[in-house]
Structure formats: structure tokens, C-alpha cells
């Protein structure tokens, strides 16, 4: 006897039962928007390395940008809703989720958390509406996991600051209207808001990427950029400033990865059900079932972990090392799922017609950015042993 | 201006739909239930009017508990309040009963200027409820509208059917049913979704709507589905190999079936 395959592998554990109506409604709205506006084109955008900037105001209208922030035109949802939106965005494409993460959790959050009232009024409503785009410059060519060694430097010149240096691997960099830039100063790391067009500030997009092709990644250069003191984020001092933003973004990623895994698995289940070899669908063969079952188990665990961490965040008691557990596990599981799903699709799996290899390629970036798997492993290691092993 | 939108929760038209074996009514257990897509456009039209004139939009739906989700969806899109007619005795209600109940619910809103509905729902497709509601309320009925303007106490609509197009005009209050061509509905915003929880929804049953009615006498289902059979699987087609005579064979095939 044959039955129907499960459309959504997360239904096996009825993950939706631990969500509120409002959370489900927000998730469904994002999914529907993406089904209408992104999914029909995403393969082509990935192939042509095209970021659909025109969707930013539409995402703004929905309330996606900076959705978990309060005030200044932001929707003010809870953290779980923000996570579920990231899950759906990344189920469409990690590049889209990256755009939203950087806009909301790095650019907007840095201004919302560390900015002056004037800076918030100037930038947050436009960023929330998607009328302006933001980016976040911390990583440098020679300083990734160890940002404390950054060479970008800001020095006082009268009432102004002079900024010199460069930033690398900056999502949204080439299209950003405002960059949050972190630099060494006499009294530690400080953040600055650098608007596009400021003399001495230039960008160059990074070409020939094999990952996150539907999103823009750039280098930022600062050559004697003169900034007024009002460009400085007044409330951030030291690495705590940028690291607090990264924790926000990592939270979105640990949900997003579940989306990429789910979409890969849905594609594989559907394909296995329709692909007939030796007179039966390949979903009826034990080796395929073992793959599908193992992936469904690991995906369900990742989803439950994400929701659990979301609940902790909504209770304002989440700790950075807990986010590390989520980012480490969920991205690791998602990339394993995406790669395994590709094998179920056989030769068809290498075509952009199907999502798993696109997700796997995207997740190569997600595995590395916002703290490499290695760094998060050592953060967890330190949390359970008390020994810091990353220096 | 007081606008009422009539909406129905239906099984997702993109998914497989089944009828219950007992009484041939819709099996809601396994269905993905959604706000009917043509009704959603009626709601969108109401909200666009609300943006151009000062209007209050009330969404009315008849259906089981789950129909509240359809009402909340329209509230999330921007409607102001809802009326949910929920009564087990309405299970299997036909067109006439449905229209009587909806008309009674509209009367509860009070002085209304415009009733908006979809010209059909994607499940029943009887396409008669809006006309019957208009008749029961004594309103002019403007059906199958693909374009709508309200100005100076009148409603004007471009009516489009298989038989042609016409421009209709009626004084308010009136009932207008819209086709799926009228607009592209908005996505509810997150702020709208969160605000919808706090908007008032009046849940009523038949006793509220018809306090003086004789219970047994009211609920006459004048129509009943006596039999339903699944569509038979499609038979294999005829394969014609083109050896130069394919065109002739095709024409002969069509003539034999009186299709040309």
C-alpha cells in the first residue's frame, strides 16, 4: 500500500503546535510573499548574481526589516516571530535572509541599541521601510575571527574624526546608504555611521562568488574620511558594541538554517516520490528512506532548538553561548541535509531547477560568517570547561 | 461610510479537496483552510475605499470555529471589526439559508452604505449568495465587478461576464460582488497581524440573529447533495504518429465528437 508523502517534514513532530497563532500568521505571510515574489525567480537571480533590490520596500511594507525592534517604524514583534521570518526567508534563499539579517540585526540594531536619538530618527524609519539600505563593517581582510586586531582606525582632528582602513566581506556594502563601521580609537573600538557618498568612502563588490550569489558582498575602503562627532555611535565602546549586534544576527541565522534544510528536504522528498527506478519510486527504497528519516530527525531537532532559544530570547535570558550552540548545530545540520538531499536528486541535483545544491552552496558562507563553526565550538567548549581555547 | 465585506473560509484551492462520505459536505478535517481568494479581493477593495474615504469596514463570515481565522486575516489586512456567525445547526446550509443568515448579520451592523462580496467562492461556486443577500436586504445588486468607484452617494462598476461588459451605476446603499480581476490583495503587515488580535469580533448564533424564529421552521435546506462520485481518472489519450496524415486524423477525430 502506498500513501502520500509529507509535504513539510517539520509536520512529523507538529512543530507548529508550539507556536502562537500570531507567530504562525507572521510566518505564513512571509512564506506567501516569498512564494509570489521570490521563488519564481530565485534560480535565475542566483545564476546571474542579481540582488532584487526592488523588493526591499516591499519587505519594509510587510514589516520584515528590523521587525523585532520597538519604535521608529519597526513592527515590534517577538523574537520567535523574527526567527520564523528568517526561517522562511532562508527557505527561499540564504542571500535574501542575509540581506534581512544585515539590515535588521546589524545595521538597524547597531543604531537602535547604540545610536543617539538624532541618529535613530534619521535612519531607522527609512531603514525599516526599505527606502534606505544599511550595512555593517567589522570584518577586515586580515581580521575575521579576531576582530580585536582590526587595523581600521579613527583619530580625532579638532571636533571631527578621520577614518582610515578597509572592511571585507560586507553584505549589502555596495548598495548601502549608510554603513555602521567599527574602528580602533584612542579609547578602544568605536562605531561610526558613514553615509554613502561621504568623500573618501568607496566600495567594491566581490565578484566570482560560488555562494550567496543573490546577495551583494563588498569591500569598503576609507581614505581619510572626515566625519563629525555626531557620526559616532555614542553609547558603544569596546568590542561589546559590535558583538552584541552579531548575537542578534546569529539568532536569525539559527532559525534561517532550519529553513534551508527544510526546503532541501521538501525538494528531496517530492523528487523521491516521483522518480521511478526499477519500477517503483525511489522513496520506497530503504537507502533513500534512511537518508530521509535521518534528515527529518536532525531537522526536527534543529527546529525545536531554534524555538527553544527564541523563547529564552523573548524572556530576555538568552546567553551568547546558547546562541553559539544554536548557530553551530543548526548550520552544521542544514548543510549536511542540503548535501545529502542533492544525492537523492541524482544528476538533477546539480541543476538550479532544484534548490538543495543552491542551499548547500549558500550555507558554505553561513557556516563561516557570524562566527565560524570552529569559533562557536570553542565558545561552547569554554562554557562547559571554563577554559578558553581560542587564543 | 459603513462597508460590510462578506467572506468565507474555504479549503485551499491548490490542495486536494474531499467530501465527507456521510452527507457529501466538505471534509474540513484534512483540508488546509484559507480565506477564499475572490473574497480576499472584495476585502482589498473595501480597504482601498477605506483609504480614500472615511469608512469603517466590518467583515462578516458564517462558518465553524475555524472561520475566525479568515475574519482575523481580513482584520490583519486592515478591517475594523468582525461578525462571526457560528452555529452547528448551520452545517450543510444551502444558498438560501446562507444568504438569509448573512443578510441578518449585515442588518446587525446598522446603517450600511456598501456590502462587498466575491462573485463566487472557490469551493461551492454557486455564485448566487450575493444576489440573494441583496434581494433580502432590498439593495441594488451590482455583480461581477472588475472595477469599482464610489462617489457622491453612488457606486459605479465595470461588470464583466462571459456575455460581455457593461457599466453599472446604482445609488448607495448597494451590494457589489467582485471578480478575481478587480485587484491584487495586499499582504497583511506584521503590525496589522498584531493589531488584529485586539480588534472586536462579535460571535453570534442563530438565536442571536433570529430571536423570534421557529427553530424548526427556519432551517429548511431546500437543496441537498444526494450523491457525489469522484471524477474518473483520465483515460489514456490517442497517440497519432505523423506519417503525413496526422492533420486529417485530428480533424476526423474532432468531427466524430462533434467538436468542430
Amino acid at each position: 500500500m502506498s500513501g502520500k508523502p509529507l509535504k513539510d517534514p517539520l509536520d512529523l513532530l507538529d512543530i507548529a503546535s508550539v507556536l502562537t497563532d500570531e507567530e504562525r500568521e507572521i510566518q505564513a505571510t512571509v512564506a506567501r510573499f516569498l512564494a509570489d515574489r521570490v521563488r519564481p525567480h530565485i534560480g535565475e537571480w542566483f545564476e546571474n548574481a542579481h540582488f532584487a533590490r526592488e523588493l526591499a520596500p516591499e519587505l519594509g511594507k510587510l514589516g520584515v526589516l528590523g521587525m523585532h525592534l520597538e519604535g521608529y517604524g519597526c513592527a515590534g514583534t517577538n523574537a520567535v516571530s523574527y526567527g520564523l521570518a528568517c526561517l522562511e526567508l532562508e527557505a527561499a534563499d540564504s542571500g535574501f535572509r542575509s540581506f534581512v539579517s544585515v539590515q535588521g540585526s546589524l545595521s538597524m540594531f547597531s543604531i537602535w541599541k547604540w545610536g543617539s536619538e538624532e541618529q535613530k530618527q534619521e535612519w531607522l524609519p527609512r531603514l525599516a521601510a526599505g527606502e534606505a539600505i544599511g550595512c555593517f563593517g567589522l570584518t577586515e581582510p586580515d581580521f575575521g575571527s579576531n576582530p580585536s586586531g582590526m587595523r581600521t582606525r579613527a583619530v580625532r582632528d579638532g571636533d571631527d574624526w578621520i577614518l582610515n582602513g578597509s572592511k571585507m566581506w560586507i553584505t549589502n556594502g555596495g548598495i548601502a546608504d549608510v554603513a555602521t563601521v567599527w574602528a580602533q580609537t584612542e579609547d578602544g573600538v568605536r562605531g561610526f555611521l558613514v553615509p554613502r557618498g561621504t568623500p573618501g568612502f568607496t566600495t567594491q563588490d566581490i565578484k566570482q562568488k560560488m555562494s550567496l550569489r543573490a546577495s551583494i558582498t563588498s569591500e569598503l575602503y576609507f581614505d581619510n574620511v572626515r566625519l563629525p562627532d555626531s557620526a559616532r555611535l555614542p553609547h558603544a565602546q569596546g568590542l561589546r558594541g559590535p558583538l552584541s549586534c552579531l548575537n542578534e544576527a546569529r539568532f536569525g541565522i539559527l532559525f534561517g538554517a532550519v529553513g534551508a534544510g527544510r526546503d532541501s528536504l521538501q525538494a528531496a522528498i517530492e523528487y523521491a516520490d516521483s522518480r521511478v527506478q526499477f519500477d517503483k519510486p525511489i522513496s520506497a527504497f530503504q537507502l533513500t528512506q534512511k537518508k530521509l528519516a535521518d534528515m527529518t530527525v536532525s531537522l526536527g531537532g534543529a527546529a525545536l532548538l531554534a524555538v527553544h532559544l527564541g523563547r529564552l530570547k523573548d524572556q530576555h535570558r538568552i546567553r551568547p553561548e546558547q546562541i553559539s550552540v544554536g548557530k553551530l548545530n543548526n548550520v552544521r545540520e542544514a548543510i549536511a541535509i542540503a548535501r545529502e538531499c542533492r544525492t537523492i536528486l541524482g544528476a538533477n541535483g546539480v541543476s538550479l531547477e532544484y534548490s538543495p545544491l543552491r542551499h548547500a552552496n549558500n550555507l558554505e558562507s553561513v557556516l563561516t560568517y557570524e562566527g565560524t563553526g570552529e569559533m562557536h565550538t570553542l565558545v561552547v567548549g569554554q562554557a562547559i570547561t571554563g577554559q578558553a581555547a581560542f587564543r | 461610510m459603513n462597508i460590510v465585506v462578506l467572506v468565507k473560509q474555504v479549503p485551499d484551492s491548490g490542495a486536494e479537496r474531499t467530501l465527507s462520505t456521510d452527507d457529501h459536505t466538505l471534509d474540513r478535517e484534512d483540508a488546509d483552510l484559507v480565506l477564499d481568494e475572490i473574497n480576499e479581493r472584495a476585502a482589498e477593495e473595501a480597504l482601498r475605499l477605506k483609504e480614500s474615504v472615511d469608512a469603517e469596514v466590518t467583515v462578516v463570515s458564517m462558518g465553524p470555529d475555524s472561520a475566525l481565522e479568515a475574519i482575523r486575516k481580513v482584520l490583519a489586512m486592515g478591517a475594523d471589526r468582525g461578525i462571526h456567525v457560528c452555529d452547528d445547526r448551520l452545517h450543510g446550509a444551502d444558498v438560501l439559508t446562507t444568504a438569509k443568515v448573512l443578510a441578518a448579520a449585515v442588518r446587525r451592523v446598522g446603517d450600511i452604505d456598501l456590502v462587498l462580496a466575491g462573485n463566487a467562492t472557490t469551493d461551492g461556486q454557486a455564485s448566487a449568495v450575493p444576489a440573494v443577500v441583496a434581494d433580502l436586504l432590498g439593495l441594488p445588486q451590482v455583480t461581477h465587478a472588475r472595477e469599482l468607484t464610489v462617489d457622491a452617494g453612488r457606486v459605479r462598476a465595470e461588470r464583466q461576464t462571459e456575455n460581455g461588459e457593461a457599466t453599472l451605476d446604482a445609488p448607495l446603499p448597494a451590494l457589489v460582488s467582485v471578480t478575481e480581476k478587480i485587484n491584487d490583495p495586499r499582504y497583511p503587515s506584521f503590525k496589522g497581524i498584531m493589531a488584529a488580535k485586539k480588534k472586536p469580533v462579535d460571535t453570534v448564533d442563530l438565536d442571536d440573529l433570529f430571536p423570534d424564529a421557529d427553530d424548526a421552521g427556519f432551517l429548511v435546506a431546500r437543496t441537498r447533495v444526494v450523491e457525489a462520485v469522484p471524477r474518473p481518472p483520465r483515460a489514456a489519450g490517442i497517440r497519432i504518429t505523423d506519417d503525413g496524415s496526422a492533420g486529417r486524423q485530428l480533424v476526423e477525430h474532432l468531427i466524430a465528437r462533434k467538436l468542430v
Side-chain angles (χ1 to χ4, degrees):
Chain A
M1 107 148 234
S2 68
K4 276 186 290 182
L6 215 51
K7 255 191 295 183
D8 180 350
L10 294 176
D11 285 349
L12 182 74
L13 292 176
D14 198 4
I15 305 282
S17 68
V18 297
L19 305 175
T20 66
D21 288 348
E22 185 178 298
E23 289 161 355
R24 280 197 291 253
E25 184 71 19
I26 287 173
Q27 181 178 10
T29 301
V30 177
R32 187 169 158 190
F33 172 82
L34 295 166
D36 292 344
R37 306 289 283 120
V38 172
R39 285 184 180 269
H41 316 290
I42 189 61
E44 193 187 327
W45 292 341
F46 184 94
E47 181 155 64
N48 299 332
H50 172 71
F51 170 66
R53 184 187 178 146
E54 67 276 12
L55 291 184
E58 294 185 43
L59 288 165
K61 210 168 167 185
L62 273 185
V64 175
L65 306 175
M67 62 188 275
H68 58 312
L69 306 179
E70 285 284 347
Y72 306 96
C74 304
T77 69
N78 69 0
V80 171
S81 295
Y82 169 58
L84 293 167
C86 288
L87 188 155
E88 291 302 333
L89 285 158
E90 193 141 0
D93 190 80
S94 304
F96 255 85
R97 203 269 307 134
S98 296
F99 162 71
V100 169
S101 287
V102 169
Q103 179 89 349
S105 283
L106 296 181
S107 166
M108 291 177 70
F109 182 82
S110 66
I111 300 169
W112 184 85
K113 174 91 176 167
W114 306 113
S116 67
E117 187 57 32
E118 292 73 25
Q119 289 167 337
K120 294 180 194 182
Q121 297 283 1
E122 181 180 1
W123 289 109
L124 289 179
R126 292 171 57 204
L127 290 164
E131 289 162 12
I133 289 178
C135 71
F136 182 92
L138 176 66
T139 297
E140 298 187 357
D142 295 328
F143 294 91
S145 296
N146 177 24
S148 63
M150 70 172 71
R151 296 205 183 99
T152 299
R153 193 164 176 82
V155 294
R156 291 303 298 240
D157 183 50
D159 289 339
D160 293 341
W161 294 86
I162 305 294
L163 182 66
N164 276 292
S166 66
K167 297 290 177 181
M168 183 85 173
W169 303 114
I170 307 305
T171 300
N172 301 351
I175 54 167
D177 299 284
V178 62
T180 299
V181 181
W182 300 95
Q184 296 281 7
T185 71
E186 260 181 3
D187 57 352
V189 170
R190 291 284 200 170
F192 297 87
L193 297 183
V194 185
R196 181 183 190 77
T198 306
F201 171 32
T202 52
T203 67
Q204 184 165 354
D205 293 346
I206 296 169
K207 305 286 184 196
Q208 297 172 322
K209 287 182 297 176
M210 295 177 75
S211 179
L212 298 184
R213 292 181 57 78
S215 117
I216 289 168
T217 316
S218 317
E219 286 186 73
L220 314 180
Y221 306 101
F222 307 96
D223 181 14
N224 286 318
V225 175
R226 180 174 289 275
L227 297 167
D229 191 44
S230 62
R232 182 174 53 88
L233 293 171
H235 305 302
Q237 188 171 8
L239 271 182
R240 196 166 75 89
L243 295 184
S244 68
C245 305
L246 293 178
N247 270 327
E248 291 296 303
R250 287 166 186 159
F251 174 78
I253 290 171
L254 66 89
F255 269 90
V258 177
R262 186 199 69 193
D263 192 68
S264 300
L265 193 45
Q266 283 176 307
I269 291 170
E270 200 183 310
Y271 185 86
D273 181 52
S274 63
R275 173 74 174 177
V276 174
Q277 291 289 284
F278 305 103
D279 302 322
K280 59 180 180 179
I282 61 170
S283 62
F285 289 97
Q286 289 185 351
L287 286 180
T288 307
Q289 285 202 1
K290 175 169 166 50
K291 291 179 184 177
L292 294 173
D294 284 347
M295 290 191 287
T296 300
V297 169
S298 91
L299 186 73
L304 288 171
L305 174 58
V307 176
H308 170 67
L309 293 174
R311 298 286 176 231
L312 289 182
K313 185 164 167 58
D314 276 325
Q315 294 162 24
H316 306 290
R317 51 190 284 208
I318 196 164
R319 296 196 307 271
E321 59 269 29
Q322 294 170 328
I323 293 178
S324 287
V325 171
K327 203 257 177 187
L328 175 64
N329 179 73
N330 289 8
V331 179
R332 189 163 67 187
E333 294 305 309
I335 197 167
I337 287 170
R339 289 171 177 160
E340 184 88 312
C341 287
R342 207 291 300 159
T343 69
I344 292 176
L345 271 68
N348 283 308
V350 306
S351 154
L352 267 173
E353 290 244 335
Y354 298 92
S355 67
L357 187 56
R358 175 168 54 81
H359 284 308
N361 269 23
N362 282 335
L363 288 164
E364 293 287 353
S365 295
V366 181
L367 194 61
T368 293
Y369 72 19
E370 306 278 344
T372 61
E374 290 81 356
M375 290 306 290
H376 287 297
T377 301
L378 297 178
V379 169
V380 175
Q382 182 186 19
I384 53 179
T385 65
Q387 310 270 3
F390 41 78
R391 274 187 252 279
Chain B
M1 194 172 171
N2 248 334
I3 303 174
V4 177
V5 188
L6 307 178
V7 302
K8 184 177 182 184
Q9 189 187 43
V10 299
D12 191 341
S13 59
E16 194 172 325
R17 293 169 285 182
T18 52
L19 297 177
S20 86
T21 45
D22 304 341
D23 60 358
H24 307 301
T25 56
L26 177 69
D27 188 353
R28 287 173 185 268
E29 283 290 308
D30 294 325
D32 286 338
L33 299 171
V34 297
L35 171 62
D36 176 82
E37 57 199 72
I38 309 176
N39 296 178
E40 190 174 352
R41 292 166 202 269
E44 172 65 29
E45 205 59 21
L47 296 173
R48 289 184 187 189
L49 283 171
K50 181 180 159 77
E51 283 161 6
S52 60
V53 296
D54 186 26
E56 186 172 75
V57 176
T58 304
V59 51
V60 171
S61 188
M62 179 184 110
D65 289 341
S66 63
L68 185 60
E69 290 165 25
I71 292 174
R72 291 267 178 234
K73 170 94 186 270
V74 182
L75 294 176
M77 289 168 73
D80 299 290
R81 48 192 291 264
I83 297 178
H84 179 195
V85 185
C86 185
D87 195 317
D88 288 343
R89 289 170 285 179
L90 286 167
H91 178 82
D94 61 6
V95 166
L96 193 57
T97 302
T98 303
K100 277 184 175 175
V101 167
L102 291 175
V106 173
R107 281 194 199 98
R108 274 176 88 85
V109 180
D111 288 335
I112 51 111
D113 299 284
L114 185 62
V115 179
L116 281 163
N119 67 313
T121 51
T122 54
D123 57 347
Q125 296 193 344
S127 211
V129 167
V132 183
V133 170
D135 193 59
L136 290 170
L137 292 172
L139 299 177
Q141 50 172 293
V142 178
T143 56
H144 294 270
R146 68 166 168 79
E147 201 182 316
L148 177 66
T149 47
V150 171
D151 189 34
R154 299 190 74 83
V155 59
R156 192 181 169 87
E158 299 300 320
R159 181 176 203 268
Q160 185 176 32
T161 67
E162 287 171 0
N163 303 324
E165 298 189 21
T167 303
L168 301 180
D169 177 280
L172 297 178
L175 179 143
V176 179
S177 76
V178 306
T179 71
E180 58 199 335
K181 294 210 175 74
I182 195 161
N183 57 41
D184 285 321
R186 70 194 64 194
Y187 304 97
S189 72
F190 297 169
K191 280 184 185 170
I193 290 169
M194 291 187 287
K197 269 194 311 192
K198 299 177 192 100
K199 290 179 177 174
V201 177
D202 195 7
T203 304
V204 297
D205 61 15
L206 287 175
D207 299 323
D208 298 319
L209 291 181
F210 305 99
D212 305 323
D214 167 359
D215 194 45
F218 174 76
L219 264 179
V220 182
R222 287 173 175 77
T223 60
R224 190 165 61 88
V225 179
V226 291
E227 193 183 3
V229 289
R231 187 198 298 260
R234 285 172 68 163
I238 301 163
R239 186 183 291 268
I240 298 171
T241 308
D242 188 7
D243 54 5
S245 66
R248 174 167 291 278
Q249 286 184 59
L250 271 173
V251 171
E252 281 168 359
H253 177 77
L254 294 172
I255 290 171
R257 278 161 183 73
K258 296 194 166 56
L259 292 170
V260 286

